[in-house]
Every structure is written in C-alpha cells, then in structure tokens.
Amino acid sequence: MSSTDTYILAIDSGTTSSRAMIFDRTGSVVAIDQTEHRQIFPRAGWVEHDALEIWNNTRDVIGGALAKANLNSKNIAAVGITNQRETAVVWDKRTGKPVYNAIVWQDTRTQKIVDRLAGDEGAEKYKKTVGLPLATYFAGPKVTWILENVDGAKEDAEAGHLLFGTVDTWVLWNLTGGAENDGVHVTDVTNASRTMLMDLSSLTWDESIAADMGIPLSMLPEIKSSSEVYGECRPGILNGTPVAGILGDQQAATFGQACLAKGEAKNTYGTGNFMLLNTGEEQVPSENGLLTTVCYKLGDKPTIYALEGSIAVTGSLVQWVRDNLGLISAAPEIETLASSVDDNGGAYFVPAFSGLFAPHWRPDARGALVGLTRYVNKGHIARAVLESTAFQSREVIDAMNADSGVPLTELRVDGGMVANELLMQFQADLLGVDVVRPKVAETTALGAAYAAGLAVGYWENEEDIRTNWGEDKRWSPQMPEEERERLYRNWKKAVTKTLDWVDDDVE
C-alpha cells in the first residue's frame, strides 16, 4: 500500500457532541461525522452525561466518517483520542456499565466535598503537588461524590470491581475491548493532571490525596505519555488499528495550533474558553489564579508544561440565549443581532452560571446582566453576550502576562466561536494584540491526530506540525486605548456584582 492510502482518525469526545475526523498528511480534513449527546440537568448546578450514550455515539461517528471517506480500517494508520476533561466516569469492569451518569466538568455538586477537603488549609492545600486549587471543576471530588452517594459503589470500589476514568479512558477502554476483551485502562498525563490526584513532577498518582478523597488506587488508570501505542481496537470496525495518542481537548488544541515553543499561546472558544501558554519544561506556579498543568509529553521526551486560564461559560452562553431565552433560533444569529447596534449600550453580561473560574475561582458567584437602562434593546444584550467572552479572555491574559513575565505578542484562536468576526475584532481591540485564526479551525481533533501519528511514524517530528500550520485570517486592534480601558474598567465593576450571591443555605 502506498503511503498516500493511509490516514489518521481522531475521536473528539466533547462536552456537547462526539465526532470522528479523518486527516491526511497535510493535516487537512478528509471526512467528519458528528452526533450530539444529551445534556442532563437533574437539578440546579448538576450537569451529567450518559457515558453509554457517548460510547454508542462514538462507534456511530467512526463508522460515519469512514463511510463518507470510503475507507476501511486498513486505511487508518492510528487512532487518536481527545476529550472533554475533568468529566468523571465510574464503571463496573465486570459489566462495562457505569454505576452513575458521568459527572461533567461544569457540575458544582461537589462544593461541600471540596470545602471538607480544604479544611483549615484552604483551596491551595494540594496546589504545590498538583498545580490546581481545590474546586468543583476537577475530576477527583466527583469520584468521591459517586462513592459516597451511589448504593454499593464504595464496597464495589474497595473490592476492586470499579474503574474510574475521564472520558478519554472510558472511550479507550471500550475501543480496546471493554468488559468482554479486557479493555486497556489507561489515561495520558494531560488528563491525569486535571484530576487533582496526579503529582505534576513525578507524573504518578499521589496516594495521600487519593486517600483523602476516599478513592482506592485500584480504580485509577495507568498514566502514560500523550503519544505512544496504548493498545489496539478490538473487535469492531477498526479491529487491529493501534490507538496511539491521547490529549485532553485544550492540550490537543494547543498541539494542533503548533504552540510547541515556550511562550506560544492559544485560546479555544468552545462551550467554555481555555487559554494555554506553553511554559516549556518548566512548571510555572501561578500567583494570579491560573492552573499549572501538563501541556503534552511525547513518548520518552521531556514533559512540556503549560499555564492555563479556564473560563466556564462562553459558547454555552450563546446556547442559553438561544434555548432558554429564545432571542435567536440558531447560534450564528447572535452576530447579526449584535451587529444591529454600534456598542453594548452600557450593558454587561457576566455569565457566572456555575461560579467564576480563572482568575477568580469564586464558586459563590452567579450570572448577572448589569448596566441596564430603558435604552438597552436585544441587540445590546446580544452584544454584551459576545463581549463577555472577550472580557473574560482579557482577564486571563492579564494573569498570564503577570505570571510568565512574557507579554503576549499575538493570540492563536480556534473553536466554534472563531467564525464570529465581530467577536474576533472585539477580542483584538480589547487585548491590543493581533488575533490569528488558522486554516484548520478544528485544531482539537487535529492535535489528537498529530499525537497518534507521531507515535506510529506517520509524521516524523514536531517540525511537520509547524509546517502544516497555516494562517487563515488576522484581526488587528483598531480601538483607541482609552476606550478599551474604559470598557474593561466597567467589566471589572460588573464582575463585583456577581460575587457573594450563594449563601450557605443554598444547595
């Protein structure tokens, strides 16, 4: 078979959908298939997914993408996986069935567990070891919740029957055989670094933190690099194909954006926004509300670290305006509505629906629409919705500049919202630096494909990734500085109105 006959398949298991994408050597998309899964909200602050639905959808989209490209498993050199991070799945290895729905990264039910773990030492208790503050965002306490609240789960876990994984681990275990064929129970360093259970320096599970959370070590997957052969698909449509790359979605996007040198950064505009700055082989502890995390590790090469600013609600705010308010009937209409006015009319929307993430880390915050007058119309509200994404990103970049001491010179952007020209221009205006969109906007799946392809020699080295990256469009700042700072000052004032909203007697 000539080399032109083979491709890499990436599985992108996201917060709202599963997709399979097939890439060629140039990093171009050959085929894509996508299916949405249900968002389950049992009560305020709780967000769940059906892990079996995610696995079934994953199988469907793999078949769909192969069919669209008219390919079979012989044409696929390797499979890469990228996934929504921090979402926790606990399942019985004897049956392959989850003991409870997957608890999603946005879920806030673990606040009391987090407070209990913090005790007198506060949110920074484990930060030196794991790079993260104690927060409901991360996967570890979600496992604690399942073990404490699902009948029989604790006993089954202690007897060695239950497995835990973030979504990458769940998909990999099923792809490589599941309960029937002894599936591979592995995660990669990027996903492990989001559990609050992994020592960032040694890349191993921290036994004392796992003990604090009441999680038996037998539940935890083996930690591997982001680029190596973990196992082969079996049985099924890809039977015999190696699975050779795993990266959490934001790290995958950083890799797909070719941010491979220290000081390079990208911002992904998805359900939430996630900005990562490559800090090279150095772990940079944050003094400004950012997370220290693993960026990637390729096989036996040194671990590359990153600083990350995580914003909980950006694209999902547009969905909320569509589904809960009915102001628009499709997400792209937000741009048209926002363009019907020249500015925000004095209105600011702080979408603290599940508290505020970076750089504030305030679980007590709740969303607020402020600055309203009789003048404000739905166009202004649409504009305030879009601007909130740019304002939150500016807060994170200010924190990054302070932590790293290296001011950002340009920002590479990707994700669904980068099609929104109004937002991209406003982002450049607010940052005072160029914003650059790549030719392939699906950088998350592409990053996972690169990790898998490098492991099997489909691509030779990181230079191939740099060569493949191409610029599609660039936005340069046009707003006068005093206007930029006035808007940002008002935004910061708006944020103060969201704090201290949730009292102790509110679930």
Side-chain angles (χ1 to χ4, degrees):
M1 187 188 293
S2 73
S3 60
T4 50
D5 288 334
T6 60
Y7 304 90
I8 302 290
L9 185 141
I11 295 165
D12 181 354
S13 192
T15 305
T16 57
S17 69
S18 302
R19 26 178 184 199
M21 296 183 75
I22 297 172
F23 294 94
D24 66 14
R25 260 167 232 284
T26 67
S28 304
V29 180
V30 176
I32 175 169
D33 198 46
Q34 180 168 356
T35 301
E36 287 200 2
H37 52 254
R38 287 173 304 139
Q39 306 297 311
I40 303 163
F41 307 108
R43 49 204 275 197
W46 291 31
V47 191
E48 298 175 1
H49 294 151
D50 176 346
L52 284 173
E53 181 187 8
I54 288 175
W55 167 235
N56 288 330
N57 288 355
T58 302
R59 284 193 301 199
D60 288 348
V61 295
I62 290 169
L66 287 168
K68 284 176 184 173
N70 201 22
L71 299 172
N72 63 35
S73 61
K74 291 191 182 69
N75 303 112
I76 305 299
V79 176
I81 298 172
T82 180
N83 57 292
Q84 51 160 325
R85 305 167 305 168
E86 299 96 13
T87 295
V89 187
V90 174
W91 70 96
D92 191 317
K93 66 183 181 189
R94 299 166 297 182
T95 62
K97 292 208 169 107
V99 300
Y100 189 80
N101 278 339
I103 301 183
V104 180
W105 57 274
Q106 299 147 310
D107 189 286
T108 57
R109 80 184 67 186
T110 55
Q111 189 59 54
K112 287 198 166 82
I113 291 170
V114 165
D115 293 342
R116 186 176 83 206
L117 287 164
D120 299 333
E121 293 167 79
E124 310 271 291
K125 182 174 177 181
Y126 303 130
K127 200 169 178 191
K128 273 198 175 68
T129 307
V130 301
L132 314 171
L134 267 160
T136 59
Y137 179 26
F138 306 109
K142 301 183 199 304
V143 182
T144 307
W145 189 93
I146 288 173
L147 295 180
E148 290 180 359
N149 290 278
V150 175
D151 282 349
K154 199 167 173 40
E155 293 74 20
D156 277 347
E158 281 164 2
H161 300 317
L162 300 191
L163 300 178
F164 151 69
T166 38
V167 175
D168 57 303
T169 301
W170 166 247
V171 170
L172 175 71
W173 187 79
N174 282 293
L175 267 179
T176 55
E180 257 81 88
N181 289 294
D182 206 18
V184 174
H185 189 223
V186 159
T187 191
D188 91 300
V189 286
T190 66
N191 281 290
S193 76
R194 316 297 294 190
T195 59
M196 239 196 306
L197 293 162
M198 186 186 84
D199 183 313
L200 269 188
S201 304
S202 67
L203 308 181
T204 56
W205 299 121
D206 186 293
E207 294 188 24
S208 66
I209 298 176
D212 286 355
M213 293 191 194
I215 300 170
L217 291 174
S218 62
M219 291 180 75
L220 302 178
E222 190 181 347
I223 302 172
K224 303 257 196 177
S225 81
S226 312
S227 177
E228 62 180 273
V229 175
Y230 312 110
E232 290 186 351
C233 297
R234 57 186 187 167
I237 200 165
L238 287 170
N239 195 26
T241 309
V243 185
I246 300 175
L247 284 161
D249 53 9
Q250 303 314 320
Q251 285 93 341
T254 310
F255 205 64
Q257 280 276 39
C259 294
L260 305 172
K262 189 171 176 173
E264 292 180 331
K266 70 88 206 176
N267 198 11
T268 296
Y269 295 72
T271 305
N273 261 41
F274 301 89
M275 195 178 304
L276 268 79
L277 172 75
N278 182 324
T279 61
E281 293 176 36
E282 182 192 359
Q283 290 179 46
V284 177
S286 176
E287 305 294 323
N288 295 282
L290 302 178
L291 311 174
T292 306
T293 197
V294 177
C295 195
Y296 56 86
K297 177 174 168 56
L298 303 178
D300 298 331
K301 291 186 182 170
T303 309
I304 302 299
Y305 293 94
L307 273 173
E308 176 175 332
S310 315
I311 303 166
V313 177
T314 56
S316 54
L317 179 59
V318 177
Q319 286 178 324
W320 182 84
V321 168
R322 179 192 70 193
D323 300 341
N324 293 37
L325 298 189
L327 275 184
I328 52 173
S329 56
E333 289 173 20
I334 193 95
E335 186 173 8
T336 315
L337 187 54
S339 301
S340 67
V341 292
D342 292 332
D343 54 39
N344 63 18
Y348 291 80
F349 202 144
V350 187
F353 291 164
S354 50
L356 287 168
F357 282 12
H360 306 281
W361 299 104
R362 290 291 294 262
D364 59 315
R366 283 299 175 268
L369 180 55
V370 299
L372 299 181
T373 58
R374 283 288 299 271
Y375 171 68
V376 171
N377 62 33
K378 61 185 179 181
H380 296 116
I381 289 172
R383 202 169 181 110
V385 163
L386 289 182
E387 289 183 355
S388 74
T389 293
F391 283 125
Q392 292 181 95
S393 297
R394 162 81 190 261
E395 288 184 309
V396 166
I397 282 198
D398 285 358
M400 271 189 183
N401 290 345
D403 272 338
S404 68
V406 186
L408 195 71
T409 51
E410 69 170 34
L411 183 65
R412 292 186 174 184
V413 299
D414 54 70
M417 290 178 92
V418 299
N420 191 312
E421 309 252 342
L422 183 74
L423 172 60
M424 292 299 102
Q425 183 56 55
F426 187 73
Q427 187 71 84
D429 287 340
L430 205 56
L431 296 179
V433 300
D434 284 7
V435 167
V436 187
R437 181 172 73 195
K439 283 194 178 123
V440 179
E442 299 300 349
T443 54
T444 306
L446 181 58
Y450 281 149
L454 285 168
V456 298
Y458 187 82
W459 287 288
E460 227 167 285
N461 51 39
E462 290 110 297
E463 209 38 60
D464 288 352
I465 298 172
R466 279 199 185 86
T467 309
N468 281 350
W469 190 89
E471 181 177 315
D472 172 50
K473 183 153 186 184
R474 178 178 291 264
W475 290 267
S476 298
Q478 294 168 357
M479 187 182 282
E481 174 137 15
E482 59 275 15
E483 173 67 358
R484 170 194 308 154
E485 295 314 314
R486 182 187 70 79
L487 288 169
Y488 189 45
R489 183 187 75 227
N490 282 341
W491 164 262
K492 285 177 151 167
K493 198 189 295 183
V495 170
T496 65
K497 309 299 179 202
T498 70
L499 307 176
D500 294 316
W501 188 261
V502 178
D503 296 325
D504 287 344
D505 58 355
V506 177
E507 274 288 325

